[in-house]
């Protein structure tokens, strides 16, 4: 049984994703992406007009993947929004257990790009979207100040990703999960 070879577009984006995750967006040149994806230069540029367009596609894919992982972890924690806020950290535990984990793609990319560029704007928008989702979960959980709790959980997520980029161990995510559990218990009254 044979499987179809991925399209050139998919090979380019998958190769770029792996390289950007390992070496950063500025640490990888287009020539390396071309060589490792097995496409011609003209093919790469027919799919992505510029390297920045490829970086934006990488960030879009990373956004979909990471938001999906967070939502899946939250949903797996149960139906209570309080449990979901704490369950988010199961995605971080799983991420830090993966070989080659290098922390948050968005924070890394923001550090490599100039404020005011489209790439930098996409990184900031991703962070705002995650924070808004966490705030909505906090609202559903009955937090007296959902914006504050959403921000606190967001800071724990980002801090965990930063620490794990230096030393990818699940203990950091587990400690952040414990802190989140305390914050949620304090901010959200138990339902009767």
């Amino acid at each position: 049984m044979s499987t179809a070879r991925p399209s050139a577009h998919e090979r380019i984006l998958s190769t770029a994703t792996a390289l950007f995750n390992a070496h950063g967006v500025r640490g990888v040149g287009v020539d390396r992406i071309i060589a490792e994806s097995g496409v011609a230069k003209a093919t790469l540029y027919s799919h992505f007009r510029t390297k920045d367009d490829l970086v934006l596609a990488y960030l879009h894919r990373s956004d979909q993947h990471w938001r999906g992982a967070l939502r899946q972890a939250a949903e797996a924690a149960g139906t209570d929004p309080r449990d979901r806020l704490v369950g988010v950290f199961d995605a971080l535990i799983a991420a830090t257990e993966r070989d080659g984990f290098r922390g948050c793609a968005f924070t890394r990319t923001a550090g490599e790009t100039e404020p005011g560029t489209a790439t930098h704007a996409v990184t900031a928008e991703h962070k705002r979207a995650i924070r808004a989702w966490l705030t909505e979960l906090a609202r559903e959980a009955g937090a007296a100040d959902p914006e504050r709790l959403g921000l606190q959980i967001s800071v724990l997520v980002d801090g965990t990703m930063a620490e794990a980029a230096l030393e990818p161990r699940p203990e950091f995510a587990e400690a952040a999960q414990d802190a989140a559990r305390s914050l949620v218990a304090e901010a959200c009254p138990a339902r009767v």
Side-chain angles (χ1 to χ4, degrees), residues 18-192:
L19 290 170
F20 293 159
N21 281 339
H23 306 289
V25 298
R26 297 297 169 231
V28 178
V30 171
D31 290 339
R32 184 169 181 188
I33 296 167
I34 290 167
E36 293 196 23
S37 65
V39 300
K41 185 178 270 193
T43 302
L44 182 137
Y45 286 114
S46 72
H47 290 277
F48 303 97
R49 292 180 316 120
T50 66
K51 182 180 175 187
D52 285 343
D53 288 344
L54 181 54
V55 171
L56 289 171
Y58 155 70
L59 290 172
H60 177 71
R61 175 175 279 189
S62 297
D63 176 69
Q64 289 179 321
H65 170 76
W66 187 235
R67 281 204 230 188
L70 291 173
R71 287 183 189 279
Q72 185 176 22
E75 289 171 8
T79 58
D80 187 329
R82 293 173 302 161
D83 294 336
R84 288 181 173 207
L85 281 165
V86 174
V88 163
F89 290 87
D90 289 334
L92 280 84
I93 292 168
T96 57
E97 291 174 337
R98 273 195 323 264
D99 283 340
F101 179 75
R102 298 278 318 250
C104 178
F106 298 91
T107 302
R108 283 192 330 268
T109 302
E112 295 182 58
T113 57
E114 293 291 324
T117 63
T119 303
H120 198 274
V122 167
T123 64
E125 177 52 36
H126 168 81
K127 294 297 184 181
R128 282 191 296 273
I130 297 295
R131 198 167 42 251
W133 173 67
L134 292 169
T135 298
E136 184 55 34
L137 278 179
R139 186 171 284 108
E140 291 171 13
D145 187 350
E147 288 79 16
R148 180 79 173 159
L149 182 58
L151 177 61
Q152 290 171 325
I153 300 294
S154 175
V155 167
L156 283 173
V157 168
D158 288 341
T160 300
M161 296 289 272
E163 188 66 40
L166 300 172
E167 195 175 354
R169 295 188 351 229
E171 292 88 350
F172 299 121
E174 291 165 356
Q177 188 172 47
D178 288 344
R181 189 174 286 110
S182 296
L183 287 169
V184 169
E186 182 181 318
C188 303
R191 298 193 177 163
V192 285

